[in-house]
């Protein structure tokens, strides 16, 4: 392993901010996943999701298994950079990431242990690593949120948002990890030139925000006509004020468009600690899957029905992409900076 290469990757990854979405939604059922008996009774977890979300999940895990967890919370990109720096001397036993890109970067560096196929097999191939080094545990879709009084129809493609008629009307959050993963997907699916041209168009047309939730609030207040965000922010707002009081609606672009990217939160193992392996298995079991669908209105990846009001995961017009291909964040971050969308 080349330490200079890892430091370079870590430098770029650390620059990426990750918005850990806390959302409240509608309940759903989940399926059982078998969990091995752990010889170890504790493990250390690097968690790239918000403490407000993960802490009750960890407490539920400890209550059900008796396993204690020492958790370090930070952004997924920051923790991925830390793990790359630590290398073979990594201080954590497992990594719970908000984003497949961070998981893919560590998998490419050879830092993950192999997960049992009996567990990864519960998830469709497109939501896990081909070599079983990481597995998705919950899913989220990128969406086009809009005010129907100001936007007559959802554009056919996210690329259409560079047209002059969208100037000052479309909101994005370029420093957000989900946006950055989408841009990486755009690079992979449509090429570097198309992605660079789209970002230049966003520099001209877009109103910039730091977080997805701020974008939704701006649409609701009439500050902007539309925005790009993750689906569950709308359901959090609807739970707060009532769906009938929402101004905005959600839409998807034409089938296969990069703007419809479905990304995952997932887990990878960094050691042979059996308690950590039990945790990875537990995340795909009944309790954790119910937690995700009921608390965040994310998609279950084990084939369960979507929460009420959501289209089924299999019905989403998402692009066909290997989520491990989202690993090269460094070039994406530089491209976004070069476009003048971040500092």
């Amino acid at each position: 392993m080349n330490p200079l290469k890892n430091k370079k990757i870590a430098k770029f990854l650390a620059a990426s901010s990750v918005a850990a979405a806390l959302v409240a939604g509608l309940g759903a059922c989940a399926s059982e996943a078998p969990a091995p008996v752990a010889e170890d009774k504790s493990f250390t977890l690097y968690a790239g999701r918000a403490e407000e979300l993960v802490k009750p999940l960890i407490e539920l895990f400890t209550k059900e298994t008796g396993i204690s967890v020492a958790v370090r919370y930070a952004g997924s990109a920051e923790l991925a950079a830390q793990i790359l720096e630590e290398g073979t001397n990594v201080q954590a036993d497992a990594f719970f990431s908000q984003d497949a890109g961070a998981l893919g970067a560590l998998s490419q560096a050879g830092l993950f242990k192999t997960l049992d196929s009996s567990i990864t097999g519960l998830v469709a191939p497109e939501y896990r690593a081909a070599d079983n080094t990481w597995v998705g545990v919950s899913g989220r879709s990128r969406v086009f949120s809009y005010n129907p009084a100001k936007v007559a129809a959802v554009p056919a493609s996210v690329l259409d948002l560079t047209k002059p008629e969208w100037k000052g009307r479309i909101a994005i959050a370029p420093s957000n990890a989900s946006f950055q993963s989408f841009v990486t997907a755009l690079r992979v699916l449509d090429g570097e030139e198309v992605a660079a041209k789209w970002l230049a168009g966003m520099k001209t047309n877009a109103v910039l925000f730091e977080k997805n939730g701020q974008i939704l609030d701006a649409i609701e207040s009439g500050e902007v006509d539309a925005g790009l965000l993750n689906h569950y922010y709308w359901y959090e707002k609807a739970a707060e004020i009532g769906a009938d009081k929402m101004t905005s609606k959600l839409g998807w672009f034409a089938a296969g468009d990069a703007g419809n990217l479905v990304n995952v939160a997932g887990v990878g193992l960094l050691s042979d600690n059996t308690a950590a392996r039990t945790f990875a298995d537990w995340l795909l079991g009944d309790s954790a899957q119910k937690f995700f669908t009921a608390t965040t209105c994310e998609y279950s990846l084990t084939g369960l029905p979507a929460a009420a009001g959501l289209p089924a995961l299999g019905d989403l017009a998402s692009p066909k992409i290997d989520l491990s291909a989202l690993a090269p964040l460094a070039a994406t971050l530089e491209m976004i900076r070069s476009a003048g969308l971040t500092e």
Side-chain angles (χ1 to χ4, degrees):
M1 193 183 306
N2 187 329
L4 292 177
K5 181 179 180 182
N6 281 346
K7 287 183 178 179
K8 183 178 181 180
I9 296 172
K11 179 180 178 182
F12 280 107
L13 282 173
S16 174
S17 64
V18 179
L22 296 176
V23 289
L26 304 173
C29 298
S31 60
E32 289 287 355
V37 176
E39 297 174 3
D40 300 293
K41 293 303 180 183
S42 65
F43 74 98
T44 299
L45 176 69
Y46 282 179
R49 307 201 73 180
E51 183 173 359
E52 294 90 339
L53 171 67
V54 174
K55 185 177 180 180
L57 181 70
I58 297 299
E59 290 173 347
L60 180 60
F61 170 73
T62 298
K63 179 180 178 181
E64 293 190 359
T65 65
I67 295 172
S68 61
V69 187
V71 189
R72 177 188 172 190
Y73 295 99
S76 290
E78 178 184 345
L79 289 172
Q82 181 64 40
I83 293 167
L84 286 166
E85 286 288 345
E86 292 174 352
T88 56
N89 191 37
V90 64
Q91 301 301 300
D93 300 298
F95 176 43
F96 184 23
S97 175
Q98 184 197 5
D99 178 72
L103 293 166
L106 297 182
S107 177
Q108 288 182 3
L111 295 176
F112 283 144
K113 304 293 182 179
T114 302
L115 294 161
D116 295 335
S117 59
S118 62
I119 296 301
T120 58
L122 295 172
V123 175
E126 58 265 37
Y127 303 128
R128 54 183 165 89
D131 60 1
N132 288 341
T133 51
W134 62 264
V135 64
V137 299
S138 63
R140 60 188 180 274
S141 174
R142 294 292 289 174
V143 294
F144 177 79
S145 180
Y146 65 102
N147 182 338
K150 298 182 177 181
V151 179
V154 178
S157 172
V158 71
L159 300 179
D160 292 334
L161 298 176
T162 63
K163 294 179 179 179
E165 59 261 35
W166 284 103
K167 184 175 177 61
R169 300 175 61 205
I170 183 70
I172 61 173
S175 63
N176 179 266
S178 294
F179 177 86
Q180 293 161 1
S181 290
F182 148 69
V183 174
T184 304
L186 186 62
R187 292 173 52 218
V188 172
L189 293 165
D190 295 322
E192 303 290 320
E193 184 176 346
V194 170
K197 184 177 180 180
W198 186 84
L199 289 170
M202 289 298 96
K203 173 63 175 176
T204 299
N205 284 355
V207 180
L208 307 186
F209 291 87
E210 182 180 352
K211 299 179 179 180
N212 286 310
Q214 294 170 343
I215 292 176
L216 184 59
D217 288 342
I219 300 170
E220 289 289 316
S221 69
E223 181 180 350
V224 295
D225 295 349
L228 301 178
L229 46 87
N230 291 336
H231 80 271
Y232 48 72
Y233 287 91
W234 192 93
Y235 287 89
E236 176 192 28
K237 193 73 174 180
E240 290 177 0
I241 68 174
D244 59 330
K245 294 182 175 61
M246 296 288 287
T247 298
S248 63
K249 291 186 176 181
L250 298 186
W252 283 261
F253 302 104
D257 192 80
N260 300 336
L261 177 69
V262 173
N263 205 343
V264 300
V267 64
L269 297 180
L270 297 161
S271 80
D272 292 318
N273 183 299
T274 57
R277 188 170 294 270
T278 297
F279 177 70
D281 297 349
W282 183 85
L283 287 172
L284 290 172
D286 184 80
S287 295
Q289 291 293 298
K290 283 183 177 179
F291 180 90
F292 291 127
T293 56
T295 304
T296 69
C297 208
E298 293 175 273
Y299 282 102
S300 164
L301 299 183
T302 58
L304 301 174
L310 278 175
L313 181 60
D315 292 341
L316 293 177
S318 57
K320 302 298 182 183
I321 186 172
D322 179 358
L323 292 180
S324 294
L326 302 182
L329 288 175
T332 294
L333 298 176
E334 182 57 36
M335 185 177 285
I336 293 172
R337 281 193 292 269
S338 294
L341 294 173
T342 59
E343 295 182 356

